[in-house]
Structure formats: C-alpha cells, structure tokens
Amino acid sequence: MFWRLLRSDWLKLKRSVLFWTAVWIPAGYALLLTAYFASSPDSPELAIRSYRVFIEGWSVLLPMILGVWSGLIGAQEEQAGQFAAMLGTGASRPLIYIGKWSMLAFMTIAGTFLSAAVFLLGSARFTNMKSEMLGLYLGGVGSICLGVLFLVAVHLFLSFAAGLGATIGTGAAGSLMAAIVGSSVIGDAIWKWVPWAWGPRLSQMVGIWMTVPDTEPYVSFIRSQWWEGAAISVAATALAVIGSLFWFQRWEGRKTGD
C-alpha cells in the first residue's frame, strides 16, 4: 500500500507544475552561479571559493524553496475536493502522511544533489577541479540535506494546516534566519537551537575541516560541533514527524478560508 501511495504521488507530481519547479529551480541556481564564476579570473582559490558560495547560497535559499514546494503540494490536495481525494483513499493516515513527507524529502534531496551536479559540471570547465572536490561537495550537500529534514516536516504540516501563504511566508522568514544565524558570526552561540541554521552551519563545518590544515584541537572541535548539530537535527526530525503523525491522524481537512 505504501509503494502504491508513493507511485500515486509521483504520477501527480509528474503531471503538475511542481515537477518543473523541482527541476528548474535547482538547475537554474547552478547555471546562474556557473555563469558568474565563468567570468572570474582563474586562481588556485577559485574552486574553494565557488564551493563556499554555492553551498552557502543554496542552504540559505532552500527554506524559501521548500516553502514553495510544500505549499504547492498542499494546494494540489486542497484543489482535489478539499483534501477529500487524499483522505478518502482508504489507506491508513500514517501511511498517507509518511508518503507525502517522503515525496517532499525526496524532492529536496534530489534537487540539492541535482544543483550540485550541474554546478560541478559547469565548474570543471573553468576551474582546476581536483578529484577531492567531489568528496567536499558530497559532504556539504549531504550536510544540507541532513539539516533540512526537520523543515520538511514543519512545512508539510503548515501546507495542510494553514495553506500556501503560510508555507511561503515561513520559508521566506526561514531563509532570512538561515542567512543571519546560519551563515554569520551572529549565530555562533545559538545556531544549534535554530532549525533554519542547521543546513548552513553543518555544510560550512564540512568545508572547514576538509579544506583547512589539520590543526588540532581546532579541527576536532569543528567535528564534534558537526556531530552534535547532526544529532540534534535527527532527533528533532523524528519528533516532528511523530508529532505530525498524531495530528494528521485526527485531522479532517481544512475548510476554505481557514
């Protein structure tokens, strides 16, 4: 039943504007950055600088993008008989919700890796892209995905409970917090407790320990901070998904105008 739900969600995704946004937003971001760096003079630092700009920019934009994607998923179900098509499938509520969460998480992860792949291919044409850069990008992109899974649950809840406007508004505010708390020294003391900062911070830490000289105890401290942040993200994601399941089990849809 779960795989049938996933297949049904995938077919709906392929036939909607959501599919094209899931492809062209990540690819477009990568192509814009590629065009920008292609005009920069080549230097030994260009590959590292391009990585940092790509990772920081995508991790900051992702909450707002996630707000759009989750809002479109909720709007799609709302238009299908005020959620009647989703809630009336006969499948158990937990399976329905996990299927929607899995689809949104897949879109987020696949879009992040797609953007990185397009940027890597473009960067290889104008920078001295060494083989170890692939590991750096995998670590950074994986850290962004790990840090954003909690937000997937939050935005999916908002898309059903409050609608498209709420998810986009929350996403825009989240991108602002990601920029201030996640990407600047302002958030050094509090980033672990601000979910929108997890993606930027975790990916930055991977970049630091893979590109700076192995000076102890600094690198060990960065690694311990990464593991602590990753553990908080995983625990928060589990709690958010479980809490949403309890809510969704009793939810009967949202009336027009709610």
Side-chain angles (χ1 to χ4, degrees):
M1 177 62 77
F2 177 69
W3 298 112
R4 287 171 57 191
L5 287 172
L6 282 182
R7 184 174 181 275
S8 174
D9 286 338
W10 170 247
L11 290 175
K12 284 190 283 187
L13 172 66
K14 286 174 60 178
R15 296 167 183 168
S16 70
V17 68
L18 183 58
F19 175 80
W20 297 108
T21 64
V23 173
W24 286 111
I25 289 178
Y29 170 77
L31 291 172
L32 284 174
L33 277 189
T34 300
Y36 169 76
F37 281 108
S39 62
S40 302
D42 193 12
S43 67
E45 296 81 23
L46 183 58
I48 298 298
R49 184 163 66 90
S50 62
Y51 163 81
R52 289 174 178 166
V53 172
F54 170 83
I55 287 294
E56 182 174 323
W58 182 254
S59 63
V60 167
L61 288 173
L62 193 53
M64 185 164 55
I65 295 169
L66 185 57
V68 174
W69 288 345
S70 60
L72 289 175
I73 288 176
Q76 187 180 59
E77 296 297 343
E78 184 178 11
Q79 291 166 6
Q82 294 295 309
F83 303 100
M86 177 179 68
L87 299 178
T89 60
S92 68
R93 292 291 186 89
L95 284 181
I96 295 172
Y97 180 84
I98 291 296
K100 294 294 183 184
W101 184 88
S102 298
M103 183 59 64
L104 184 56
F106 172 77
M107 287 175 56
T108 305
I109 294 170
T112 302
F113 275 91
L114 171 64
S115 189
V118 172
F119 187 65
L120 270 171
L121 289 173
S123 299
R125 302 178 67 88
F126 58 82
T127 63
N128 183 19
M129 192 65 67
K130 298 179 180 178
S131 57
E132 56 264 26
M133 289 297 294
L134 179 59
L136 179 61
Y137 273 86
L138 285 175
V141 168
S143 295
I144 291 176
C145 294
L146 179 64
V148 82
L149 289 178
F150 172 80
L151 301 183
V152 172
V154 170
H155 278 282
L156 186 61
F157 165 77
L158 287 174
S159 71
F160 291 150
L164 179 63
T167 61
I168 293 178
T170 302
S175 287
L176 183 61
M177 283 188 281
I180 295 173
V181 181
S183 301
S184 71
V185 296
I186 295 175
D188 285 352
I190 61 171
W191 71 269
K192 294 175 190 173
W193 317 115
V194 180
W196 290 270
W198 294 342
R201 285 283 172 164
L202 293 177
S203 57
Q204 285 175 13
M205 289 175 183
V206 169
I208 290 172
W209 88 52
M210 293 185 72
T211 58
V212 302
D214 193 7
T215 54
E216 298 295 348
Y218 179 64
V219 172
S220 293
F221 172 75
I222 292 295
R223 287 197 181 106
S224 68
Q225 289 286 290
W226 187 93
W227 281 108
E228 187 175 347
I232 292 173
S233 176
V234 170
T237 300
L239 289 174
V241 170
I242 292 171
S244 297
L245 284 173
F246 278 108
W247 169 81
F248 193 74
Q249 184 73 26
R250 295 166 176 78
W251 187 57
E252 296 300 332
R254 175 164 44 85
K255 296 179 180 179
T256 302
D258 283 2

